[in-house]
Amino acid sequence: DIVMTQSPLSLPVTPGEPASISCSSSQSLLHSSGNHFLDWYLQKPGQSPRLLISFTSNRASGVPDRFSGSGSGTDFTLKISRVEAEDVGIYYCMQALHTPTFGQGTKLELK
Amino acid sequence: EVQLVESGGGLVQPGGSLRLSCAASGFSSSGYWMSWVRQAPGKGLEWVANIKQDGSEKFYVDSVRGRFTISRDIAKNSVYLQMNSLRVEDTAVYSCARSVGWSGMDVWGKGTTVTVSS
């Protein structure tokens, strides 16, 4: 199984400031198609997860452009350009190259 | 409205069985891979199983392979998870989700709670 490791696990952020979450995989997520099979999800308190980004950098429908994803090989990053109150929750990366596995989650909270 | 609604959860003793259902509405689930994802109390997300659009391929996480079976009924626009030989560690909220491929689960249900306890 591919192991996904996120850091940090806790992320206090001042509203309006940027935030960054890292995700590393135990093996490359590069598919023969040229895409990296890495998704990002946000689970707000009391809600189901919501897809933010697929294939490393493709924002899902309705996701604000302050969210961006990047990376290649085994190292990936989710960036929020300016954190808003509605961004609070737990962020998960997930690889879909093989049977899917999630990272441990990063809890973003406001300072 | 595009929606997934799970049902069938409950309290069951270790070794028992449950069958979870996931009803799709507002779209045809036959156009999507369908997955089950679970979340144990206070824990993170764990993908459990998925099934291809035509039901020809099914995949499972190691911890449930041989005990759980995923299936789908195109006519009923539904997906199921038959869970046998349940263990205490299977206690979780089970949610279904759709994706075009394996990547990008863009619609999720609210989940149904499974509690395995004596």
Side-chain angles (χ1 to χ4, degrees):
Chain A
D1 288 358
I2 299 178
V3 177
M4 305 300 291
T5 303
Q6 291 182 228
S7 64
L9 298 185
S10 179
L11 183 57
V13 183
T14 300
E17 293 297 305
S20 180
I21 301 171
S22 296
C23 175
S24 64
S25 55
S26 59
Q27 61 187 78
S28 174
L29 300 184
L30 179 62
H31 186 261
S32 57
S33 64
N35 291 312
H36 287 83
F37 279 43
L38 188 284
D39 297 344
W40 289 97
Y41 297 86
L42 166 59
Q43 187 174 31
K44 295 183 179 181
Q47 296 186 18
S48 299
R50 173 195 181 188
L51 175 67
L52 295 176
I53 287 173
S54 61
F55 297 113
T56 301
S57 60
N58 294 348
R59 268 192 309 275
S61 175
V63 174
D65 61 7
R66 64 178 181 274
F67 290 91
S68 64
S70 63
S72 65
T74 62
D75 295 303
F76 302 89
T77 302
L78 175 71
K79 292 184 178 179
I80 309 173
S81 58
R82 293 174 305 279
V83 170
E84 298 186 5
E86 65 179 20
D87 300 336
V88 165
I90 301 176
Y91 291 78
Y92 295 93
C93 60
M94 186 200 85
Q95 66 80 19
L97 184 65
H98 299 299
T99 52
T101 46
F102 289 92
Q104 319 97 302
T106 295
K107 186 174 185 179
L108 186 148
E109 58 185 12
L110 300 181
K111 282 185 180 176
Chain B
E1 180 188 5
V2 172
Q3 199 172 359
L4 293 169
V5 178
E6 303 90 341
S7 60
L11 174 64
V12 62
Q13 292 187 337
S17 297
L18 277 177
R19 186 190 192 218
L20 306 184
S21 299
C22 168
S25 59
F27 73 101
S28 175
S29 62
S30 64
Y32 297 86
W33 281 82
M34 297 297 294
S35 295
W36 286 96
V37 177
R38 68 185 178 182
Q39 188 167 33
K43 302 297 184 181
L45 301 173
E46 181 181 38
W47 173 87
V48 174
N50 65 8
I51 185 168
K52 195 176 181 179
Q53 285 86 339
D54 61 0
S56 62
E57 296 182 32
K58 305 173 185 180
F59 298 89
Y60 302 90
V61 68
D62 286 348
S63 60
V64 310
R65 191 175 294 112
R67 300 188 298 122
F68 290 11
T69 302
I70 190 170
S71 62
R72 66 194 308 163
D73 186 327
I74 301 300
K76 293 185 177 180
N77 210 16
S78 293
V79 180
Y80 307 97
L81 188 67
Q82 176 67 44
M83 304 187 296
N84 298 330
S85 303
L86 281 161
R87 304 168 179 169
V88 171
E89 55 266 33
D90 295 319
T91 295
V93 174
Y94 286 72
S95 300
C96 60
R98 78 172 194 184
S99 56
V100 173
W102 279 21
S103 184
M105 291 185 278
D106 67 340
V107 177
W108 293 66
K110 295 186 186 308
T112 186
T113 300
V114 172
T115 303
V116 185
S117 174
S118 55

